[in-house]
Amino acid sequence: VQLVESGGGSVQTGGSLRLSCAPSGYTVSTYSMGWFRQAPGKEREGVAIFGKDGTTTYTDSVKGRFTISKDNVKNTLSLQMNSLEVEDTAMYYCAANWYGGSASKLRPLYQDWGQGTQVTVS
């Protein structure tokens, strides 16, 4: 299986970006899926998760600014990021949790990972 991310880039503070993730070998409705990020020198953290059961969860620092969504027709998972801050700069990864039904930000629960897409806010 493979997860392919796209949509990263460089943006000024206050700007917006939209990340997309396309799985191959399964549909976005098959598993709980979400977005993680890792900044230099920091641990990878869960940013936004879309549970298989339809629940969503966000890390506190992005609530009200980021929105995670699924498109079952296009088979993509997206992350709309608005009001971006310098602190949002990181490599963003799409991930899938093959076993959990609800949205969880716990990294060890995720088995399938994309290669990452860089987001830089300055």
Side-chain angles (χ1 to χ4, degrees), residues 7 11 13 17 23 32 38 43 45 47 55 59 106 111-113 120:
V11 66
T13 300
L17 284 173
S32 294
Q38 187 167 19
E43 293 189 356
E45 65 167 347
V47 176
T55 58
T59 194
L106 295 177
Q111 297 78 30
D112 201 12
W113 293 86
T120 302

Side-chain angles (χ1 to χ4, degrees), residues 10-59:
S10 297
V11 66
Q12 292 186 337
T13 300
S16 299
L17 284 173
R18 186 177 181 87
L19 306 183
S20 292
C21 171
S24 63
Y26 56 87
T27 70
V28 293
S29 296
T30 303
Y31 305 118
S32 294
M33 295 184 64
W35 293 94
F36 289 72
R37 67 185 179 187
Q38 187 167 19
K42 295 187 177 181
E43 293 189 356
R44 192 172 298 188
E45 65 167 347
V47 176
I49 309 295
F50 203 121
K52 182 180 178 180
D53 61 1
T55 58
T56 59
T57 188
Y58 298 86
T59 194

Side-chain angles (χ1 to χ4, degrees), residues 3 20 45 56 65 72-73 91 109:
L3 295 172
S20 292
E45 65 167 347
T56 59
R65 301 188 297 121
N72 294 324
V73 175
M91 185 71 78
L109 297 179

